[in-house]
CSV table of all heavy atoms in Angstrom, one decimal:
chain,number,residue,atom,x,y,z
A,350,ASN,N,-67.2,193.8,193.7
A,350,ASN,CA,-68.3,192.8,194.1
A,350,ASN,C,-67.7,191.5,194.5
A,350,ASN,O,-68.3,190.4,194.2
A,350,ASN,CB,-69.3,192.7,193.0
A,350,ASN,CG,-70.1,193.9,192.8
A,350,ASN,OD1,-71.2,194.1,193.4
A,350,ASN,ND2,-69.7,194.7,191.8
A,351,VAL,N,-66.6,191.5,195.2
A,351,VAL,CA,-65.9,190.3,195.5
A,351,VAL,C,-66.8,189.4,196.5
A,351,VAL,O,-66.8,188.2,196.3
A,351,VAL,CB,-64.5,190.6,196.2
A,351,VAL,CG1,-63.9,189.3,196.7
A,351,VAL,CG2,-63.6,191.3,195.3
A,352,ALA,N,-67.5,190.0,197.4
A,352,ALA,CA,-68.3,189.2,198.3
A,352,ALA,C,-69.4,188.5,197.5
A,352,ALA,O,-69.7,187.3,197.8
A,352,ALA,CB,-69.0,190.2,199.3
A,353,TYR,N,-70.0,189.1,196.5
A,353,TYR,CA,-71.0,188.4,195.7
A,353,TYR,C,-70.4,187.3,194.9
A,353,TYR,O,-71.0,186.2,194.8
A,353,TYR,CB,-71.6,189.4,194.7
A,353,TYR,CG,-72.6,188.8,193.8
A,353,TYR,CD1,-73.9,188.4,194.3
A,353,TYR,CD2,-72.3,188.5,192.4
A,353,TYR,CE1,-74.8,187.8,193.4
A,353,TYR,CE2,-73.2,187.9,191.6
A,353,TYR,CZ,-74.5,187.5,192.1
A,353,TYR,OH,-75.4,186.9,191.3
A,354,LEU,N,-69.2,187.5,194.4
A,354,LEU,CA,-68.5,186.4,193.6
A,354,LEU,C,-68.2,185.2,194.5
A,354,LEU,O,-68.3,184.1,194.0
A,354,LEU,CB,-67.2,186.9,193.0
A,354,LEU,CG,-67.3,188.1,192.1
A,354,LEU,CD1,-65.9,188.4,191.5
A,354,LEU,CD2,-68.3,187.9,190.9
A,355,LYS,N,-67.9,185.5,195.8
A,355,LYS,CA,-67.6,184.4,196.7
A,355,LYS,C,-68.8,183.7,197.3
A,355,LYS,O,-68.7,182.7,198.0
A,355,LYS,CB,-66.7,184.9,197.8
A,355,LYS,CG,-65.3,185.3,197.3
A,355,LYS,CD,-64.4,185.7,198.5
A,355,LYS,CE,-63.0,186.1,198.0
A,355,LYS,NZ,-62.3,184.9,197.6
A,356,SER,N,-70.0,184.3,197.1
A,356,SER,CA,-71.2,183.7,197.6
A,356,SER,C,-71.5,182.4,197.0
A,356,SER,O,-71.2,182.1,195.9
A,356,SER,CB,-72.4,184.7,197.4
A,356,SER,OG,-72.7,184.9,196.1
A,357,ASN,N,-72.2,181.5,197.7
A,357,ASN,CA,-72.5,180.2,197.2
A,357,ASN,C,-73.6,180.2,196.2
A,357,ASN,O,-74.7,180.7,196.4
A,357,ASN,CB,-73.0,179.3,198.4
A,357,ASN,CG,-73.1,177.8,198.0
A,357,ASN,OD1,-72.4,177.4,197.1
A,357,ASN,ND2,-74.0,177.1,198.7
A,358,ARG,N,-73.3,179.7,195.0
A,358,ARG,CA,-74.2,179.7,193.9
A,358,ARG,C,-74.3,178.3,193.2
A,358,ARG,O,-73.2,177.7,193.1
A,358,ARG,CB,-74.0,180.8,192.9
A,358,ARG,CG,-72.7,180.6,192.0
A,358,ARG,CD,-72.6,181.7,190.9
A,358,ARG,NE,-72.7,183.0,191.5
A,358,ARG,CZ,-71.7,183.6,192.1
A,358,ARG,NH1,-70.5,183.0,192.2
A,358,ARG,NH2,-71.8,184.8,192.5
A,359,LYS,N,-75.4,177.9,192.8
A,359,LYS,CA,-75.6,176.7,192.1
A,359,LYS,C,-76.3,176.9,190.8
A,359,LYS,O,-77.1,177.8,190.7
A,359,LYS,CB,-76.4,175.7,193.0
A,359,LYS,CG,-75.7,175.2,194.3
A,359,LYS,CD,-76.5,174.2,195.0
A,359,LYS,CE,-75.8,173.7,196.3
A,359,LYS,NZ,-74.5,173.1,196.0
A,360,ILE,N,-76.0,176.1,189.9
A,360,ILE,CA,-76.6,176.2,188.5
A,360,ILE,C,-78.1,175.9,188.6
A,360,ILE,O,-78.5,175.0,189.4
A,360,ILE,CB,-75.9,175.3,187.5
A,360,ILE,CG1,-76.4,175.6,186.1
A,360,ILE,CG2,-76.1,173.8,187.9
A,360,ILE,CD1,-75.5,174.9,185.0
A,361,LYS,N,-78.9,176.7,187.9
A,361,LYS,CA,-80.3,176.5,187.9
A,361,LYS,C,-80.7,175.2,187.2
A,361,LYS,O,-80.0,174.8,186.3
A,361,LYS,CB,-81.0,177.7,187.2
A,361,LYS,CG,-80.9,179.0,188.0
A,361,LYS,CD,-81.6,180.1,187.2
A,361,LYS,CE,-81.6,181.4,188.0
A,361,LYS,NZ,-82.3,182.5,187.3
A,362,LEU,N,-81.8,174.6,187.6
A,362,LEU,CA,-82.2,173.3,187.0
A,362,LEU,C,-82.4,173.4,185.5
A,362,LEU,O,-82.0,172.5,184.7
A,362,LEU,CB,-83.4,172.8,187.7
A,362,LEU,CG,-84.0,171.4,187.2
A,362,LEU,CD1,-83.0,170.3,187.3
A,362,LEU,CD2,-85.3,171.1,187.9
A,363,SER,N,-83.0,174.5,185.1
A,363,SER,CA,-83.3,174.7,183.7
A,363,SER,C,-82.0,174.8,182.9
A,363,SER,O,-81.9,174.3,181.7
A,363,SER,CB,-84.1,176.0,183.5
A,363,SER,OG,-83.4,177.2,184.0
A,364,GLN,N,-81.0,175.4,183.4
A,364,GLN,CA,-79.7,175.5,182.7
A,364,GLN,C,-79.0,174.2,182.8
A,364,GLN,O,-78.3,173.8,181.8
A,364,GLN,CB,-78.8,176.6,183.4
A,364,GLN,CG,-77.9,177.2,182.4
A,364,GLN,CD,-77.3,178.5,182.9
A,364,GLN,OE1,-76.7,178.5,184.0
A,364,GLN,NE2,-77.3,179.6,182.2
A,365,TRP,N,-79.1,173.4,183.9
A,365,TRP,CA,-78.5,172.1,184.0
A,365,TRP,C,-79.1,171.2,182.9
A,365,TRP,O,-78.3,170.5,182.2
A,365,TRP,CB,-78.8,171.5,185.4
A,365,TRP,CG,-78.4,170.1,185.5
A,365,TRP,CD1,-79.3,169.0,185.4
A,365,TRP,CD2,-77.1,169.5,185.8
A,365,TRP,NE1,-78.6,167.8,185.6
A,365,TRP,CE2,-77.3,168.1,185.9
A,365,TRP,CE3,-75.9,170.1,186.0
A,365,TRP,CZ2,-76.2,167.3,186.1
A,365,TRP,CZ3,-74.8,169.3,186.3
A,365,TRP,CH2,-75.0,167.9,186.3
A,366,LYS,N,-80.4,171.2,182.7
A,366,LYS,CA,-81.0,170.4,181.7
A,366,LYS,C,-80.5,170.8,180.3
A,366,LYS,O,-80.3,169.9,179.4
A,366,LYS,CB,-82.5,170.5,181.8
A,366,LYS,CG,-83.1,169.7,183.0
A,366,LYS,CD,-84.6,169.8,183.0
A,366,LYS,CE,-85.2,169.0,184.1
A,366,LYS,NZ,-86.7,169.1,184.1
A,367,LYS,N,-80.4,172.1,180.1
A,367,LYS,CA,-79.9,172.6,178.8
A,367,LYS,C,-78.5,172.1,178.5
A,367,LYS,O,-78.2,171.8,177.3
A,367,LYS,CB,-79.9,174.1,178.8
A,367,LYS,CG,-79.5,174.8,177.5
A,367,LYS,CD,-79.4,176.3,177.7
A,367,LYS,CE,-80.8,177.0,177.9
A,367,LYS,NZ,-80.6,178.4,177.8
A,368,LEU,N,-77.7,172.0,179.5
A,368,LEU,CA,-76.3,171.6,179.3
A,368,LEU,C,-76.0,170.2,179.4
A,368,LEU,O,-74.8,169.7,179.2
A,368,LEU,CB,-75.4,172.4,180.3
A,368,LEU,CG,-75.4,173.9,180.2
A,368,LEU,CD1,-74.4,174.5,181.3
A,368,LEU,CD2,-74.9,174.3,178.8
A,369,HIS,N,-76.9,169.3,179.7
A,369,HIS,CA,-76.7,167.9,179.9
A,369,HIS,C,-76.4,167.3,178.6
A,369,HIS,O,-77.0,167.6,177.5
A,369,HIS,CB,-77.9,167.3,180.5
A,369,HIS,CG,-77.7,165.9,181.1
A,369,HIS,ND1,-77.5,164.8,180.4
A,369,HIS,CD2,-77.5,165.6,182.4
A,369,HIS,CE1,-77.3,163.8,181.2
A,369,HIS,NE2,-77.3,164.2,182.5
A,370,PRO,N,-75.4,166.3,178.5
A,370,PRO,CA,-75.0,165.7,177.2
A,370,PRO,C,-76.2,165.0,176.6
A,370,PRO,O,-76.3,164.9,175.3
A,370,PRO,CB,-74.0,164.7,177.7
A,370,PRO,CG,-73.4,165.2,178.9
A,370,PRO,CD,-74.5,165.9,179.6
A,371,ARG,N,-77.2,164.5,177.4
A,371,ARG,CA,-78.3,163.8,176.8
A,371,ARG,C,-79.2,164.8,176.0
A,371,ARG,O,-79.8,164.5,174.9
A,371,ARG,CB,-79.2,163.2,177.9
A,371,ARG,CG,-80.4,162.4,177.3
A,371,ARG,CD,-81.1,161.7,178.5
A,371,ARG,NE,-80.3,160.7,179.1
A,371,ARG,CZ,-80.1,159.5,178.7
A,371,ARG,NH1,-80.6,159.1,177.5
A,371,ARG,NH2,-79.3,158.6,179.3
A,372,THR,N,-79.3,166.1,176.5
A,372,THR,CA,-80.0,167.1,175.8
A,372,THR,C,-79.4,167.4,174.4
A,372,THR,O,-80.1,167.5,173.4
A,372,THR,CB,-80.1,168.4,176.6
A,372,THR,OG1,-80.6,168.1,177.9
A,372,THR,CG2,-81.0,169.4,175.9
A,373,TYR,N,-78.1,167.5,174.4
A,373,TYR,CA,-77.4,167.7,173.1
A,373,TYR,C,-77.5,166.5,172.2
A,373,TYR,O,-77.7,166.7,171.0
A,373,TYR,CB,-75.9,168.1,173.4
A,373,TYR,CG,-75.3,168.9,172.3
A,373,TYR,CD1,-76.1,169.6,171.3
A,373,TYR,CD2,-73.9,169.1,172.2
A,373,TYR,CE1,-75.5,170.3,170.3
A,373,TYR,CE2,-73.3,169.8,171.2
A,373,TYR,CZ,-74.1,170.5,170.3
A,373,TYR,OH,-73.6,171.2,169.3
A,374,ALA,N,-77.4,165.3,172.7
A,374,ALA,CA,-77.6,164.1,171.9
A,374,ALA,C,-79.0,164.1,171.3
A,374,ALA,O,-79.2,163.8,170.1
A,374,ALA,CB,-77.4,162.9,172.8
A,375,ASN,N,-80.0,164.6,172.1
A,375,ASN,CA,-81.4,164.7,171.5
A,375,ASN,C,-81.4,165.6,170.3
A,375,ASN,O,-82.2,165.3,169.3
A,375,ASN,CB,-82.3,165.2,172.6
A,375,ASN,CG,-82.8,164.1,173.5
A,375,ASN,OD1,-82.9,163.0,173.2
A,375,ASN,ND2,-83.2,164.5,174.7
A,376,SER,N,-80.7,166.7,170.4
A,376,SER,CA,-80.6,167.6,169.3
A,376,SER,C,-80.0,167.0,168.0
A,376,SER,O,-80.5,167.2,166.9
A,376,SER,CB,-79.8,168.9,169.7
A,376,SER,OG,-80.5,169.6,170.7
A,377,VAL,N,-79.0,166.2,168.2
A,377,VAL,CA,-78.4,165.6,167.1
A,377,VAL,C,-79.3,164.5,166.5
A,377,VAL,O,-79.5,164.5,165.2
A,377,VAL,CB,-77.1,164.9,167.5
A,377,VAL,CG1,-76.4,164.1,166.3
A,377,VAL,CG2,-76.1,165.9,168.0
A,378,VAL,N,-80.0,163.8,167.3
A,378,VAL,CA,-81.0,162.8,166.8
A,378,VAL,C,-82.1,163.5,166.1
A,378,VAL,O,-82.6,163.1,165.1
A,378,VAL,CB,-81.5,161.9,168.0
A,378,VAL,CG1,-82.7,161.0,167.5
A,378,VAL,CG2,-80.4,161.1,168.6
A,379,ARG,N,-82.5,164.6,166.6
A,379,ARG,CA,-83.6,165.4,166.0
A,379,ARG,C,-83.2,165.9,164.6
A,379,ARG,O,-84.0,165.8,163.6
A,379,ARG,CB,-84.0,166.6,166.8
A,379,ARG,CG,-85.1,167.4,166.2
A,379,ARG,CD,-85.7,168.4,167.2
A,379,ARG,NE,-86.7,169.2,166.5
A,379,ARG,CZ,-86.5,170.5,166.1
A,379,ARG,NH1,-85.3,171.1,166.3
A,379,ARG,NH2,-87.4,171.2,165.5
Side-chain angles (χ1 to χ4, degrees):
N350 291 275
V351 175
Y353 176 74
L354 301 184
K355 290 182 180 290
S356 62
N357 188 29
R358 69 174 54 79
K359 293 186 181 297
I360 188 169
K361 293 180 178 179
L362 180 61
S363 59
Q364 211 167 52
W365 171 262
K366 289 183 176 180
K367 181 187 289 187
L368 294 182
H369 199 281
R371 185 177 295 278
T372 305
Y373 204 15
N375 277 336
S376 297
V377 178
V378 173
R379 181 166 175 260

